[in-house]
Amino acid sequence: MLHKFMRVMLCGMLILGLTSCARLRFWDWGKKSSTENATMSTDGSTVEDYEAALRSLVERHIESAMRNADSQKGRIVKRKPYFFKEYANYPQGAQNMEVVLQETESRTRPYLADVQVRKIRFSTRLHRKRDEARSDNTFIRDTGQETLTYEYRNGRWVRIGSLFVAEKSEIQVDGVWVARPEDEVRTVAAEEHRSWFSKIWSKFTGGE
């Protein structure tokens, strides 16, 4: 009886030992998977791959804008309730772009990114009527930095917004670019710098 009891005890201890080892191996596997998922997606792409694809997309956007700049000079842009002409140039191309990429908790939109590039924007004053905008060929040159915002969804990067901050504003006088005087004539740059409170107040008062 004693020998039978000892055999039962030994079998029980062996089973417990095997179960504990299995649990430890499962725990280690779970930690390894979490670490791998932090740097690699389910399709095998790394964060570096996503950033490289984004940089390539922005490069094509900049190349297209620079290639079509001359043909865009006469194009009228409508931004309710205004009309104006606008085209852009990127003096540094895509060489010095800065990319800030962040991971999200969304499975359908796993990444967001901001891309900053140097930009020169040429635009006319804002007009209420299209004909007035069409006849206006006096461009204001704003130099500054543009931030393009993208999100990754459905297997590709999609631009969801942009913000241009002008650091210098100039107007051409006798063929020479000089600092633009501060005046009350509405321009694209001035419109973008209006405060949220100013816009809301204008809606209530009926002003521009």
Side-chain angles (χ1 to χ4, degrees):
M1 292 292 293
L2 180 61
H3 291 292
K4 184 177 180 180
F5 176 75
M6 291 296 294
R7 285 199 299 271
V8 173
M9 288 292 293
L10 288 172
C11 289
M13 293 175 64
L14 181 61
I15 292 172
L16 288 174
L18 291 173
T19 303
S20 298
C21 290
R23 288 179 177 176
L24 287 173
R25 285 197 297 271
F26 176 77
W27 176 252
D28 290 340
W29 176 84
K31 289 194 293 184
K32 182 179 180 181
S33 296
S34 297
T35 302
E36 291 176 348
N37 288 337
T39 57
M40 183 174 292
S41 68
T42 55
D43 64 357
S45 300
T46 64
V47 175
E48 289 75 17
D49 294 331
Y50 287 116
E51 182 173 334
L54 177 59
R55 286 180 175 273
S56 178
L57 177 63
V58 176
E59 286 178 4
R60 294 196 300 271
H61 163 69
I62 290 176
E63 290 172 358
S64 176
M66 295 178 67
R67 185 171 57 251
N68 299 318
D70 288 338
S71 63
Q72 297 293 318
K73 290 181 179 179
R75 182 175 66 97
I76 297 177
V77 179
K78 180 180 180 181
R79 187 173 300 171
K80 192 176 180 178
Y82 301 107
F83 299 91
F84 59 95
K85 294 177 183 177
E86 180 186 52
Y87 67 98
N89 188 15
Y90 294 86
Q92 299 178 0
Q95 296 179 356
N96 297 319
M97 77 168 76
E98 297 182 7
V99 178
V100 178
L101 190 148
Q102 59 180 347
E103 190 173 0
T104 72
E105 296 181 356
S106 172
R107 291 188 177 183
T108 58
R109 294 174 173 82
Y111 290 99
L112 286 173
D114 284 333
V115 181
Q116 294 183 340
V117 292
R118 298 296 299 174
K119 178 180 179 179
I120 297 177
R121 181 174 63 188
F122 298 86
S123 60
T124 60
R125 291 179 171 84
L126 304 183
H127 299 277
R128 291 282 187 175
K129 298 180 179 180
R130 181 183 292 271
D131 290 341
E132 293 177 352
R134 182 179 292 107
S135 61
D136 188 356
N137 293 309
T138 302
F139 285 88
I140 294 170
R141 184 172 73 176
D142 295 312
T143 304
Q145 183 162 275
E146 183 177 43
T147 300
L148 305 169
T149 301
Y150 292 84
E151 68 177 12
Y152 191 83
R153 63 171 184 253
N154 298 325
R156 63 191 182 95
W157 285 105
V158 178
R159 192 169 74 182
I160 59 175
S162 64
L163 175 65
F164 177 70
V165 178
E167 300 165 356
K168 181 173 62 175
S169 186
E170 300 168 299
I171 193 169
Q172 208 168 35
V173 178
D174 296 330
V176 179
W177 290 102
V178 297
R180 183 177 67 87
E182 293 295 332
D183 53 33
E184 298 301 323
V185 179
R186 189 68 48 75
T187 64
V188 180
E191 181 71 10
E192 290 183 347
H193 280 83
R194 296 178 72 200
S195 67
W196 174 84
F197 178 80
S198 176
K199 290 181 180 180
I200 296 299
W201 181 254
S202 295
K203 289 182 180 180
F204 279 107
T205 60
E208 294 185 2

